[in-house]
Amino acid sequence: MGIQFKDVSYAYRGYKVNYDAIGHITLDIKPKGEFIAVVGHTGSGKSTLVQHMNALLLPSKGNVVIFGQNLPPKKNEKINYLRQKVGLVFQFPEYQLFEETILKDIMFGPKNFKSTEAEAIEKAKRAASVVGIDETLYEQSPFRISGGQMRRVAVAGILAMEPEILVLDEPTRGLDPKGRKDLMAIFEEIHEKEDKTIVMITHDMDLVAAYAKRVIVLDNGRLVFDGPKEKLFEHPQFEAFHLDLPTPLKILKHLEKEVGLTYKPHYDYHSLLSYLKEVHHE
Ligand SMILES: Nc1ncnc2c1ncn2[C@@H]1O[C@H](COP(=O)(O)OP(=O)(O)OP(=O)(O)O)[C@@H](O)[C@H]1O
Ligand SMILES: [Mg+2]
């Protein structure tokens, strides 16, 4: 099950003629255990790609299969339920908060998908606690909290629908370092505790290095790489992907070039640090 893309292309209507925002994409996402980063320069088609994962966009050509449901759907086939199975958190989701209280905002999704009022409250409270929204905030307006908290409320609104796969479009964009770290810790915990598949768009290669297992690279709407992150960073054509290297790797390369010190490549701070301690017997 999970999500399959079979030679998928998508063109926005009325945009440039014959211009595919994504073209000929084939990929397979497992329903459990994956942590996938989607990267690529601005306008490369990342948001377009992930909006196919919960049927918000339907392919112009090719097919997407989401938990066995083939898309585009046959006439009269209902696909709305897919939005519950695959929860999509938009770029700047806090702009979509609209209810008068935080709890009501988080309850909106479950209510929309036929939970009773009592069930919706229970699901909303559970989701709020996962993202660290305190009970004392339940009755407050979602517009009177900090940007970081608003982001958490928006994420809780998606989690409350209890999706099987979580898709995040630049979830940390615009957050300060602490906000970024806290939010990533939440996603990591969801991924680890519940073995949930997470698909995350990001421009931050340090986040890719620290959290992702698999990376999908888009370039001009085409899938140019799909594989383990280690393979990406050591790819002979890495420069052709127009991506930044993770900072620890940059530092190591710098040490080699400028100081003549050669170390084994490490991508994230944590493993680099333990490796350096080991080499230097500390
Ligand atoms: N609603 C739309 N109508 C017409 N064209 C669009 C629309 N949304 C995106 N596009 C075009 O489709 C292409 C892919 O855009 P998309 O938003 O998927 O890129 P992205 O990789 O998410 O970029 P970013 O990193 O800036 O968020 C771009 O050329 C963009 O201009
Ligand atoms: Mg985008």
Side-chain angles (χ1 to χ4, degrees):
M1 296 295 246
I3 305 173
Q4 289 82 39
F5 280 62
K6 299 177 181 171
D7 199 18
V8 171
S9 301
Y10 183 83
Y12 287 98
R13 276 173 196 223
Y15 194 56
K16 298 176 209 164
V17 184
N18 293 334
Y19 176 80
D20 287 343
I22 53 171
H24 303 287
I25 308 267
T26 295
L27 53 90
D28 191 343
I29 295 171
K30 294 195 193 80
K32 286 226 161 263
E34 296 224 67
F35 202 128
I36 305 175
V38 179
V39 301
H41 56 81
T42 221
S44 57
K46 303 180 296 298
S47 296
T48 306
L49 178 83
V50 303
Q51 286 175 52
H52 281 79
M53 293 179 185
N54 77 343
L56 215 58
L57 293 178
L58 298 171
S60 311
K61 285 188 215 136
N63 292 95
V64 176
V65 185
I66 305 174
F67 288 97
Q69 166 71 56
N70 202 48
L71 302 166
K74 295 200 186 100
K75 256 194 180 166
N76 303 328
E77 220 171 8
K78 288 209 171 89
I79 54 164
N80 222 12
Y81 73 99
L82 295 174
R83 313 241 161 94
Q84 179 274 321
K85 282 193 140 338
V86 183
L88 175 65
V89 180
F90 286 96
Q91 225 165 307
F92 298 114
E94 55 272 29
Y95 295 146
Q96 281 150 13
L97 302 174
F98 68 98
E99 291 278 6
E100 65 208 52
T101 73
I102 285 175
L103 195 64
K104 278 190 184 158
D105 219 299
I106 306 176
M107 285 165 61
F108 180 80
K111 275 177 83 174
N112 210 18
F113 287 105
K114 310 262 182 302
S115 284
T116 63
E117 182 84 7
E119 281 164 356
I121 291 178
E122 201 192 306
K123 287 179 183 179
K125 288 185 174 171
R126 211 179 305 141
S129 98
V130 171
V131 302
I133 291 289
D134 193 76
E135 281 178 40
T136 53
L137 292 173
Y138 286 172
E139 296 308 317
Q140 286 210 29
S141 159
F143 305 103
R144 283 164 186 239
I145 50 178
S146 74
Q149 281 173 319
M150 279 164 105
R151 186 77 52 99
R152 286 171 189 232
V153 170
V155 170
I158 299 296
L159 291 180
M161 293 194 281
E162 300 175 335
E164 296 189 31
I165 294 181
L166 198 57
V167 181
L168 311 159
D169 194 343
E170 297 201 50
T172 60
R173 185 147 166 180
L175 297 180
D176 65 16
K178 183 173 184 307
R180 190 159 59 218
K181 210 169 155 208
D182 291 349
L183 199 60
M184 285 311 302
I186 292 166
F187 297 138
E188 192 175 37
E189 188 169 321
I190 293 168
H191 172 67
E192 278 179 2
K193 259 198 193 156
E194 303 175 34
D195 203 27
K196 259 195 214 307
T197 284
I198 293 189
V199 180
M200 176 181 76
I201 295 180
T202 182
H203 284 278
D204 186 336
M205 296 311 281
D206 286 349
L207 290 187
V208 175
Y211 299 97
K213 295 174 179 161
R214 170 179 168 192
V215 188
I216 289 171
V217 183
L218 292 184
D219 187 22
N220 236 334
R222 301 296 162 126
L223 192 148
V224 291
F225 179 90
D226 178 4
K229 69 175 166 211
E230 294 78 6
K231 274 209 170 141
L232 172 68
F233 297 137
E234 286 165 30
H235 200 289
Q237 268 106 47
F238 183 82
E239 282 184 12
F241 299 144
H242 309 293
L243 300 169
D244 220 7
L245 278 174
T247 319
L249 208 51
K250 273 195 213 159
I251 296 172
L252 290 179
K253 287 201 177 236
H254 190 77
L255 283 176
E256 184 165 0
K257 196 165 162 238
E258 306 292 332
V259 194
L261 287 170
T262 308
Y263 292 105
K264 269 200 261 172
H266 282 80
Y267 315 111
D268 65 284
Y269 285 108
H270 190 70
S271 66
L272 175 64
L273 209 61
S274 13
Y275 165 69
L276 288 178
K277 279 185 182 161
E278 197 187 300
V279 207
H280 295 289
H281 310 289
E282 275 167 22

